[in-house]
Amino acid sequence: MQSIERAFGLLETMADAGGMMGLSQLATSSGLPLPTIHRPVRTPVDLGYLRQEPSRQYVPGPRLIRLGESSSNMLSIWAKPHLAALVDELGESANLAMLDGDQIVYVAQVPSRHSMRMFTEVGRRVLPHCTAVGKAIPAELPEGQVRELLQRTGMPRHTDNTLTNPDDFAQQLVLAAKTGYAMDEGEQEIGVRCVAVNVPDVPTRLALSVSGPAERMSQELVERAVPLLTRAGKALSADLS
Protein backbone atom coordinates (compact mmCIF):
# COMPACT_ATOMS: atom_id res chain seq x y z
CA MET A 1 0.00 0.00 0.00
CA GLN A 2 2.81 2.42 0.86
CA SER A 3 4.46 1.75 -2.52
CA ILE A 4 1.18 2.53 -4.30
CA GLU A 5 0.81 5.77 -2.34
CA ARG A 6 4.38 6.75 -3.19
CA ALA A 7 3.95 5.90 -6.88
CA PHE A 8 0.82 8.06 -7.20
CA GLY A 9 2.44 10.82 -5.15
CA LEU A 10 5.42 10.87 -7.52
CA LEU A 11 3.11 10.93 -10.57
CA GLU A 12 1.34 13.97 -9.10
CA THR A 13 4.71 15.63 -8.38
CA MET A 14 5.68 15.13 -12.02
CA ALA A 15 2.35 16.52 -13.22
CA ASP A 16 2.76 19.65 -11.07
CA ALA A 17 6.24 20.16 -12.54
CA GLY A 18 5.04 20.01 -16.15
CA GLY A 19 5.25 16.25 -16.78
CA MET A 20 9.02 15.67 -17.09
CA MET A 21 11.49 15.09 -14.25
CA GLY A 22 14.66 13.19 -13.40
CA LEU A 23 15.08 10.98 -10.35
CA SER A 24 17.09 13.57 -8.40
CA GLN A 25 14.44 16.21 -9.11
CA LEU A 26 11.72 13.81 -7.99
CA ALA A 27 13.61 13.08 -4.78
CA THR A 28 14.05 16.78 -4.03
CA SER A 29 10.45 17.73 -4.82
CA SER A 30 8.89 14.78 -2.99
CA GLY A 31 11.16 14.96 0.05
CA LEU A 32 11.97 11.24 -0.28
CA PRO A 33 15.52 9.82 -0.28
CA LEU A 34 16.78 8.91 -3.75
CA PRO A 35 17.08 5.14 -3.02
CA THR A 36 13.47 5.10 -1.74
CA ILE A 37 11.89 6.26 -5.00
CA HIS A 38 13.52 3.72 -7.34
CA ARG A 39 10.82 1.05 -6.93
CA PRO A 40 7.79 3.45 -7.02
CA VAL A 41 9.18 4.81 -10.33
CA ARG A 42 10.33 1.47 -11.78
CA THR A 43 6.91 -0.19 -11.45
CA PRO A 44 4.98 2.48 -13.46
CA VAL A 45 7.73 2.30 -16.10
CA ASP A 46 7.36 -1.50 -16.36
CA LEU A 47 3.56 -1.12 -16.67
CA GLY A 48 3.74 1.63 -19.31
CA TYR A 49 2.48 4.49 -17.13
CA LEU A 50 5.87 6.21 -17.26
CA ARG A 51 8.59 6.23 -19.89
CA GLN A 52 12.28 7.02 -19.49
CA GLU A 53 13.70 9.29 -22.16
CA PRO A 54 17.30 9.04 -23.50
CA SER A 55 18.02 12.07 -21.27
CA ARG A 56 17.13 9.73 -18.34
CA GLN A 57 14.21 11.96 -17.41
CA TYR A 58 10.77 10.44 -16.94
CA VAL A 59 7.62 11.44 -18.86
CA PRO A 60 4.02 10.10 -18.91
CA GLY A 61 3.69 6.82 -20.78
CA PRO A 62 0.91 5.87 -23.22
CA ARG A 63 -1.19 4.03 -20.61
CA LEU A 64 -1.20 7.08 -18.32
CA ILE A 65 -2.23 9.27 -21.26
CA ARG A 66 -5.15 6.91 -21.92
CA LEU A 67 -6.27 7.28 -18.30
CA GLY A 68 -5.95 11.05 -18.65
CA GLU A 69 -8.19 11.06 -21.71
CA SER A 70 -10.79 9.02 -19.84
CA SER A 71 -10.57 11.41 -16.90
CA SER A 72 -11.10 14.40 -19.22
CA ASN A 73 -14.23 12.75 -20.61
CA MET A 74 -15.59 12.28 -17.09
CA LEU A 75 -14.77 15.91 -16.23
CA SER A 76 -16.84 16.98 -19.23
CA ILE A 77 -19.80 14.88 -18.10
CA TRP A 78 -19.69 16.30 -14.55
CA ALA A 79 -19.21 19.87 -15.76
CA LYS A 80 -21.97 19.99 -18.41
CA PRO A 81 -24.92 20.67 -16.01
CA HIS A 82 -23.02 23.54 -14.36
CA LEU A 83 -22.04 25.01 -17.73
CA ALA A 84 -25.61 24.70 -19.03
CA ALA A 85 -26.91 26.57 -15.97
CA LEU A 86 -24.43 29.40 -16.66
CA VAL A 87 -25.59 29.64 -20.29
CA ASP A 88 -29.24 29.73 -19.14
CA GLU A 89 -28.48 32.55 -16.69
CA LEU A 90 -26.10 34.64 -18.79
CA GLY A 91 -26.78 33.74 -22.41
CA GLU A 92 -23.10 33.37 -23.36
CA SER A 93 -20.88 30.34 -23.94
CA ALA A 94 -19.51 28.62 -20.82
CA ASN A 95 -16.29 26.61 -20.69
CA LEU A 96 -14.27 24.35 -18.43
CA ALA A 97 -10.49 24.36 -18.92
CA MET A 98 -7.55 22.77 -17.16
CA LEU A 99 -3.82 23.32 -16.86
CA ASP A 100 -2.13 20.37 -18.57
CA GLY A 101 1.63 20.68 -18.30
CA ASP A 102 2.39 24.21 -19.50
CA GLN A 103 -0.76 24.57 -21.61
CA ILE A 104 -4.43 25.30 -21.08
CA VAL A 105 -6.72 22.67 -22.58
CA TYR A 106 -10.48 23.12 -22.94
CA VAL A 107 -12.28 20.00 -21.69
CA ALA A 108 -15.96 21.01 -21.87
CA GLN A 109 -18.22 23.70 -23.35
CA VAL A 110 -21.89 24.57 -23.61
CA PRO A 111 -22.29 27.12 -26.41
CA SER A 112 -24.47 30.23 -26.34
CA ARG A 113 -27.82 30.10 -28.11
CA HIS A 114 -27.05 33.36 -29.95
CA SER A 115 -26.41 32.99 -33.66
CA MET A 116 -23.17 34.94 -33.10
CA ARG A 117 -21.36 33.11 -30.33
CA MET A 118 -17.95 32.04 -29.13
CA PHE A 119 -17.12 28.42 -29.96
CA THR A 120 -13.99 26.86 -28.50
CA GLU A 121 -13.30 23.32 -29.69
CA VAL A 122 -13.03 20.85 -26.81
CA GLY A 123 -9.45 19.61 -26.76
CA ARG A 124 -8.05 22.91 -28.02
CA ARG A 125 -4.75 23.88 -26.39
CA VAL A 126 -3.57 27.44 -25.82
CA LEU A 127 -0.87 29.14 -23.78
CA PRO A 128 -1.93 30.62 -20.43
CA HIS A 129 -0.79 34.22 -20.93
CA CYS A 130 -3.56 35.25 -23.35
CA THR A 131 -6.68 33.70 -21.78
CA ALA A 132 -8.86 34.39 -18.75
CA VAL A 133 -8.69 30.75 -17.62
CA GLY A 134 -4.92 30.92 -18.07
CA LYS A 135 -4.84 33.75 -15.54
CA ALA A 136 -7.40 32.36 -13.09
CA ILE A 137 -5.52 29.07 -12.61
CA PRO A 138 -1.94 30.43 -12.15
CA ALA A 139 -3.26 33.06 -9.72
CA GLU A 140 -3.21 30.22 -7.15
CA LEU A 141 0.42 29.24 -7.92
CA PRO A 142 3.68 30.64 -6.48
CA GLU A 143 5.00 33.51 -8.61
CA GLY A 144 8.34 31.77 -9.20
CA GLN A 145 6.59 28.72 -10.63
CA VAL A 146 4.52 30.93 -12.94
CA ARG A 147 7.61 32.77 -14.21
CA GLU A 148 9.34 29.45 -14.93
CA LEU A 149 6.28 28.38 -16.93
CA LEU A 150 6.37 31.61 -18.96
CA GLN A 151 10.06 31.11 -19.63
CA ARG A 152 9.34 27.70 -21.08
CA THR A 153 6.37 28.75 -23.22
CA GLY A 154 7.24 32.32 -24.14
CA MET A 155 4.52 34.95 -24.50
CA PRO A 156 3.78 35.23 -28.23
CA ARG A 157 1.55 38.10 -29.35
CA HIS A 158 -1.85 37.21 -30.84
CA THR A 159 -3.47 40.67 -30.85
CA ASP A 160 -2.49 44.21 -29.89
CA ASN A 161 -3.95 43.45 -26.43
CA THR A 162 -1.86 40.34 -25.73
CA LEU A 163 0.35 40.55 -22.65
CA THR A 164 3.95 39.87 -23.67
CA ASN A 165 5.77 40.99 -20.50
CA PRO A 166 6.02 38.62 -17.48
CA ASP A 167 5.75 41.56 -15.05
CA ASP A 168 2.44 42.65 -16.61
CA PHE A 169 1.17 39.07 -16.40
CA ALA A 170 2.22 38.86 -12.74
CA GLN A 171 0.21 42.01 -12.01
CA GLN A 172 -2.84 40.41 -13.65
CA LEU A 173 -2.44 37.38 -11.39
CA VAL A 174 -2.25 39.57 -8.28
CA LEU A 175 -5.47 41.26 -9.38
CA ALA A 176 -7.14 37.90 -10.10
CA ALA A 177 -6.16 36.58 -6.66
CA LYS A 178 -7.54 39.73 -5.02
CA THR A 179 -10.85 39.93 -6.91
CA GLY A 180 -11.46 36.20 -7.38
CA TYR A 181 -11.74 36.37 -11.18
CA ALA A 182 -9.63 37.01 -14.29
CA MET A 183 -10.35 38.69 -17.62
CA ASP A 184 -9.31 38.26 -21.24
CA GLU A 185 -9.79 41.59 -23.01
CA GLY A 186 -9.37 40.50 -26.62
CA GLU A 187 -5.92 39.08 -25.88
CA GLN A 188 -6.40 35.78 -27.73
CA GLU A 189 -8.86 37.04 -30.35
CA ILE A 190 -9.95 40.59 -31.17
CA GLY A 191 -13.57 41.32 -30.28
CA VAL A 192 -13.83 38.53 -27.69
CA ARG A 193 -14.17 39.15 -23.96
CA CYS A 194 -13.97 36.42 -21.32
CA VAL A 195 -14.26 36.17 -17.53
CA ALA A 196 -13.00 33.16 -15.54
CA VAL A 197 -12.73 31.84 -11.99
CA ASN A 198 -10.60 29.10 -10.49
CA VAL A 199 -12.32 25.88 -9.38
CA PRO A 200 -11.28 25.49 -5.72
CA ASP A 201 -10.10 22.44 -3.80
CA VAL A 202 -9.65 19.99 -6.68
CA PRO A 203 -6.53 17.92 -7.45
CA THR A 204 -6.53 19.04 -11.12
CA ARG A 205 -6.06 22.76 -11.80
CA LEU A 206 -9.37 23.83 -13.35
CA ALA A 207 -11.16 27.06 -14.24
CA LEU A 208 -14.66 27.95 -15.45
CA SER A 209 -15.27 30.79 -17.87
CA VAL A 210 -17.97 32.66 -19.76
CA SER A 211 -17.05 34.25 -23.09
CA GLY A 212 -18.75 36.19 -25.84
CA PRO A 213 -18.51 39.12 -28.26
CA ALA A 214 -17.15 42.19 -26.48
CA GLU A 215 -20.26 44.24 -27.27
CA ARG A 216 -22.43 41.74 -25.35
CA MET A 217 -19.92 41.00 -22.60
CA SER A 218 -20.60 44.31 -20.85
CA GLN A 219 -19.23 45.18 -17.41
CA GLU A 220 -22.73 44.65 -16.05
CA LEU A 221 -22.78 41.10 -17.46
CA VAL A 222 -19.30 40.42 -16.06
CA GLU A 223 -20.43 41.55 -12.61
CA ARG A 224 -23.43 39.22 -12.86
CA ALA A 225 -21.23 36.38 -14.11
CA VAL A 226 -18.59 36.39 -11.35
CA PRO A 227 -20.81 35.20 -8.45
CA LEU A 228 -22.51 32.67 -10.73
CA LEU A 229 -19.15 31.31 -11.89
CA THR A 230 -17.90 31.19 -8.30
CA ARG A 231 -21.00 29.27 -7.21
CA ALA A 232 -20.67 26.88 -10.16
CA GLY A 233 -16.98 26.34 -9.34
CA LYS A 234 -17.80 25.39 -5.76
CA ALA A 235 -20.59 23.07 -6.89
CA LEU A 236 -18.30 21.35 -9.42
CA SER A 237 -15.61 21.04 -6.75
CA ALA A 238 -18.12 19.33 -4.46
CA ASP A 239 -19.08 16.92 -7.28
CA LEU A 240 -15.43 16.04 -7.92
CA SER A 241 -14.66 15.47 -4.25
Side-chain angles (χ1 to χ4, degrees):
M1 182 62 71
Q2 187 181 53
S3 294
I4 293 172
E5 290 176 355
R6 283 178 175 168
F8 278 105
L10 293 171
L11 290 173
E12 290 180 358
T13 298
M14 287 183 62
D16 290 342
M20 178 182 287
M21 294 185 84
L23 277 180
S24 59
Q25 291 173 298
L26 274 169
T28 301
S29 298
S30 66
L32 295 171
L34 189 58
T36 304
I37 66 174
H38 277 283
R39 175 178 281 183
V41 169
R42 190 70 254 163
T43 300
V45 170
D46 291 341
L47 294 173
Y49 291 103
L50 283 180
R51 186 179 72 222
Q52 190 174 30
E53 297 288 272
S55 65
R56 303 195 65 77
Q57 290 190 308
Y58 292 89
V59 297
R63 296 187 72 177
L64 190 62
I65 292 169
R66 188 179 72 179
L67 289 181
E69 290 173 349
S70 176
S71 177
S72 293
N73 290 336
M74 290 306 299
L75 271 177
S76 177
I77 291 169
W78 286 321
K80 282 290 178 70
H82 303 292
L83 299 179
L86 288 168
V87 174
D88 288 342
E89 290 272 1
L90 300 166
E92 301 298 341
S93 299
N95 312 279
L96 175 70
M98 66 184 288
L99 183 64
D100 182 24
D102 289 344
Q103 297 179 314
I104 295 294
V105 57
Y106 290 91
V107 296
Q109 183 188 69
V110 173
S112 165
R113 295 178 183 88
H114 291 288
S115 56
M116 181 186 292
R117 61 180 183 263
M118 297 302 101
F119 180 77
T120 299
E121 183 181 358
V122 171
R124 182 187 180 197
R125 291 176 174 270
V126 296
L127 297 182
H129 71 287
C130 52
T131 63
V133 288
K135 297 173 188 174
I137 294 173
E140 305 293 319
L141 300 177
E143 182 179 348
Q145 190 173 332
V146 174
R147 287 183 179 270
E148 288 175 4
L149 183 155
L150 294 176
Q151 265 194 327
R152 293 191 296 268
T153 63
M155 300 180 70
R157 183 180 296 281
H158 296 279
T159 74
D160 290 342
N161 297 334
T162 305
L163 299 177
T164 58
N165 184 299
D167 292 335
D168 294 338
F169 189 73
Q171 289 179 4
Q172 290 278 306
L173 299 194
V174 170
L175 183 62
K178 181 179 179 181
T179 62
Y181 69 94
M183 295 293 302
D184 164 11
E185 302 282 4
E187 296 158 47
Q188 173 74 21
E189 187 176 346
I190 286 292
V192 175
R193 200 169 190 223
C194 183
V195 57
V197 305
N198 187 57
V199 177
D201 304 320
V202 288
T204 302
R205 302 195 184 280
L206 301 171
L208 292 169
S209 70
V210 169
S211 59
E215 60 267 24
R216 291 205 309 258
M217 288 287 294
S218 65
Q219 191 58 34
E220 179 185 359
L221 189 143
V222 169
E223 289 172 1
R224 284 177 53 213
V226 170
L228 295 173
L229 281 163
T230 302
R231 186 175 68 193
K234 290 178 179 178
L236 178 58
S237 174
D239 288 347
L240 296 176
S241 64

PDB file of all heavy atoms in Angstrom, residues 28-42:
ATOM      1  N   THR A  28      14.054  15.462  -4.662  1.00  0.00           N
ATOM      2  CA  THR A  28      14.049  16.779  -4.026  1.00  0.00           C
ATOM      3  C   THR A  28      12.631  17.291  -3.827  1.00  0.00           C
ATOM      4  O   THR A  28      12.263  17.769  -2.747  1.00  0.00           O
ATOM      5  CB  THR A  28      14.847  17.793  -4.876  1.00  0.00           C
ATOM      6  OG1 THR A  28      16.194  17.326  -5.011  1.00  0.00           O
ATOM      7  CG2 THR A  28      14.846  19.169  -4.230  1.00  0.00           C
ATOM      8  N   SER A  29      11.808  17.187  -4.882  1.00  0.00           N
ATOM      9  CA  SER A  29      10.448  17.730  -4.818  1.00  0.00           C
ATOM     10  C   SER A  29       9.549  16.933  -3.875  1.00  0.00           C
ATOM     11  O   SER A  29       8.678  17.496  -3.225  1.00  0.00           O
ATOM     12  CB  SER A  29       9.821  17.750  -6.217  1.00  0.00           C
ATOM     13  OG  SER A  29      10.550  18.591  -7.081  1.00  0.00           O
ATOM     14  N   SER A  30       9.760  15.615  -3.821  1.00  0.00           N
ATOM     15  CA  SER A  30       8.893  14.777  -2.988  1.00  0.00           C
ATOM     16  C   SER A  30       9.355  14.706  -1.541  1.00  0.00           C
ATOM     17  O   SER A  30       8.586  14.311  -0.657  1.00  0.00           O
ATOM     18  CB  SER A  30       8.825  13.360  -3.567  1.00  0.00           C
ATOM     19  OG  SER A  30      10.101  12.725  -3.488  1.00  0.00           O
ATOM     20  N   GLY A  31      10.620  15.051  -1.307  1.00  0.00           N
ATOM     21  CA  GLY A  31      11.156  14.957   0.047  1.00  0.00           C
ATOM     22  C   GLY A  31      11.551  13.552   0.435  1.00  0.00           C
ATOM     23  O   GLY A  31      11.840  13.279   1.606  1.00  0.00           O
ATOM     24  N   LEU A  32      11.590  12.632  -0.554  1.00  0.00           N
ATOM     25  CA  LEU A  32      11.965  11.242  -0.283  1.00  0.00           C
ATOM     26  C   LEU A  32      13.435  11.019  -0.644  1.00  0.00           C
ATOM     27  O   LEU A  32      13.936  11.616  -1.595  1.00  0.00           O
ATOM     28  CB  LEU A  32      11.101  10.285  -1.100  1.00  0.00           C
ATOM     29  CG  LEU A  32       9.608  10.258  -0.773  1.00  0.00           C
ATOM     30  CD1 LEU A  32       8.863   9.414  -1.813  1.00  0.00           C
ATOM     31  CD2 LEU A  32       9.372   9.694   0.630  1.00  0.00           C
ATOM     32  N   PRO A  33      14.132  10.147   0.090  1.00  0.00           N
ATOM     33  CA  PRO A  33      15.521   9.821  -0.279  1.00  0.00           C
ATOM     34  C   PRO A  33      15.576   9.178  -1.664  1.00  0.00           C
ATOM     35  O   PRO A  33      14.656   8.449  -2.054  1.00  0.00           O
ATOM     36  CB  PRO A  33      15.955   8.833   0.807  1.00  0.00           C
ATOM     37  CG  PRO A  33      14.979   9.006   1.918  1.00  0.00           C
ATOM     38  CD  PRO A  33      13.685   9.446   1.295  1.00  0.00           C
ATOM     39  N   LEU A  34      16.642   9.430  -2.382  1.00  0.00           N
ATOM     40  CA  LEU A  34      16.776   8.913  -3.747  1.00  0.00           C
ATOM     41  C   LEU A  34      16.626   7.390  -3.820  1.00  0.00           C
ATOM     42  O   LEU A  34      15.890   6.883  -4.693  1.00  0.00           O
ATOM     43  CB  LEU A  34      18.127   9.350  -4.329  1.00  0.00           C
ATOM     44  CG  LEU A  34      18.349   9.091  -5.826  1.00  0.00           C
ATOM     45  CD1 LEU A  34      17.273   9.772  -6.665  1.00  0.00           C
ATOM     46  CD2 LEU A  34      19.724   9.579  -6.253  1.00  0.00           C
ATOM     47  N   PRO A  35      17.254   6.606  -2.924  1.00  0.00           N
ATOM     48  CA  PRO A  35      17.083   5.140  -3.023  1.00  0.00           C
ATOM     49  C   PRO A  35      15.629   4.694  -2.826  1.00  0.00           C
ATOM     50  O   PRO A  35      15.209   3.668  -3.373  1.00  0.00           O
ATOM     51  CB  PRO A  35      17.969   4.601  -1.888  1.00  0.00           C
ATOM     52  CG  PRO A  35      18.950   5.688  -1.610  1.00  0.00           C
ATOM     53  CD  PRO A  35      18.207   6.974  -1.852  1.00  0.00           C
ATOM     54  N   THR A  36      14.846   5.485  -2.063  1.00  0.00           N
ATOM     55  CA  THR A  36      13.470   5.101  -1.739  1.00  0.00           C
ATOM     56  C   THR A  36      12.555   5.157  -2.948  1.00  0.00           C
ATOM     57  O   THR A  36      11.570   4.410  -3.016  1.00  0.00           O
ATOM     58  CB  THR A  36      12.920   6.023  -0.624  1.00  0.00           C
ATOM     59  OG1 THR A  36      13.796   5.947   0.494  1.00  0.00           O
ATOM     60  CG2 THR A  36      11.519   5.611  -0.198  1.00  0.00           C
ATOM     61  N   ILE A  37      12.843   6.043  -3.912  1.00  0.00           N
ATOM     62  CA  ILE A  37      11.889   6.261  -5.002  1.00  0.00           C
ATOM     63  C   ILE A  37      12.158   5.371  -6.222  1.00  0.00           C
ATOM     64  O   ILE A  37      11.398   5.396  -7.183  1.00  0.00           O
ATOM     65  CB  ILE A  37      11.853   7.739  -5.450  1.00  0.00           C
ATOM     66  CG1 ILE A  37      13.177   8.169  -6.090  1.00  0.00           C
ATOM     67  CG2 ILE A  37      11.486   8.637  -4.295  1.00  0.00           C
ATOM     68  CD1 ILE A  37      13.114   9.569  -6.665  1.00  0.00           C
ATOM     69  N   HIS A  38      13.219   4.554  -6.177  1.00  0.00           N
ATOM     70  CA  HIS A  38      13.520   3.717  -7.345  1.00  0.00           C
ATOM     71  C   HIS A  38      12.379   2.755  -7.661  1.00  0.00           C
ATOM     72  O   HIS A  38      11.932   2.661  -8.803  1.00  0.00           O
ATOM     73  CB  HIS A  38      14.829   2.942  -7.121  1.00  0.00           C
ATOM     74  CG  HIS A  38      16.048   3.741  -7.448  1.00  0.00           C
ATOM     75  ND1 HIS A  38      16.472   3.964  -8.736  1.00  0.00           N
ATOM     76  CD2 HIS A  38      16.930   4.392  -6.651  1.00  0.00           C
ATOM     77  CE1 HIS A  38      17.562   4.707  -8.738  1.00  0.00           C
ATOM     78  NE2 HIS A  38      17.873   4.983  -7.473  1.00  0.00           N
ATOM     79  N   ARG A  39      11.883   2.024  -6.653  1.00  0.00           N
ATOM     80  CA  ARG A  39      10.825   1.050  -6.933  1.00  0.00           C
ATOM     81  C   ARG A  39       9.518   1.729  -7.331  1.00  0.00           C
ATOM     82  O   ARG A  39       8.884   1.301  -8.317  1.00  0.00           O
ATOM     83  CB  ARG A  39      10.602   0.130  -5.730  1.00  0.00           C
ATOM     84  CG  ARG A  39       9.427  -0.823  -5.956  1.00  0.00           C
ATOM     85  CD  ARG A  39       9.215  -1.777  -4.802  1.00  0.00           C
ATOM     86  NE  ARG A  39      10.171  -2.871  -4.851  1.00  0.00           N
ATOM     87  CZ  ARG A  39      10.170  -3.881  -3.991  1.00  0.00           C
ATOM     88  NH1 ARG A  39       9.277  -3.909  -3.015  1.00  0.00           N
ATOM     89  NH2 ARG A  39      11.055  -4.852  -4.087  1.00  0.00           N
ATOM     90  N   PRO A  40       9.039   2.792  -6.614  1.00  0.00           N
ATOM     91  CA  PRO A  40       7.793   3.452  -7.020  1.00  0.00           C
ATOM     92  C   PRO A  40       7.844   4.031  -8.436  1.00  0.00           C
ATOM     93  O   PRO A  40       6.809   4.224  -9.055  1.00  0.00           O
ATOM     94  CB  PRO A  40       7.617   4.560  -5.984  1.00  0.00           C
ATOM     95  CG  PRO A  40       8.400   4.116  -4.808  1.00  0.00           C
ATOM     96  CD  PRO A  40       9.551   3.340  -5.345  1.00  0.00           C
ATOM     97  N   VAL A  41       9.041   4.322  -8.947  1.00  0.00           N
ATOM     98  CA  VAL A  41       9.179   4.810 -10.327  1.00  0.00           C
ATOM     99  C   VAL A  41       9.314   3.632 -11.292  1.00  0.00           C
ATOM    100  O   VAL A  41       8.727   3.642 -12.376  1.00  0.00           O
ATOM    101  CB  VAL A  41      10.392   5.760 -10.444  1.00  0.00           C
ATOM    102  CG1 VAL A  41      10.705   6.056 -11.905  1.00  0.00           C
ATOM    103  CG2 VAL A  41      10.117   7.060  -9.698  1.00  0.00           C
ATOM    104  N   ARG A  42      10.068   2.597 -10.889  1.00  0.00           N
ATOM    105  CA  ARG A  42      10.326   1.472 -11.780  1.00  0.00           C
ATOM    106  C   ARG A  42       9.048   0.734 -12.153  1.00  0.00           C
ATOM    107  O   ARG A  42       8.850   0.342 -13.312  1.00  0.00           O
ATOM    108  CB  ARG A  42      11.292   0.507 -11.080  1.00  0.00           C
ATOM    109  CG  ARG A  42      11.847  -0.606 -11.953  1.00  0.00           C
ATOM    110  CD  ARG A  42      12.811  -0.082 -12.992  1.00  0.00           C
ATOM    111  NE  ARG A  42      12.244  -0.078 -14.327  1.00  0.00           N
ATOM    112  CZ  ARG A  42      12.742   0.610 -15.341  1.00  0.00           C
ATOM    113  NH1 ARG A  42      13.798   1.381 -15.174  1.00  0.00           N
ATOM    114  NH2 ARG A  42      12.174   0.563 -16.530  1.00  0.00           N
TER     115      ARG A  42
END
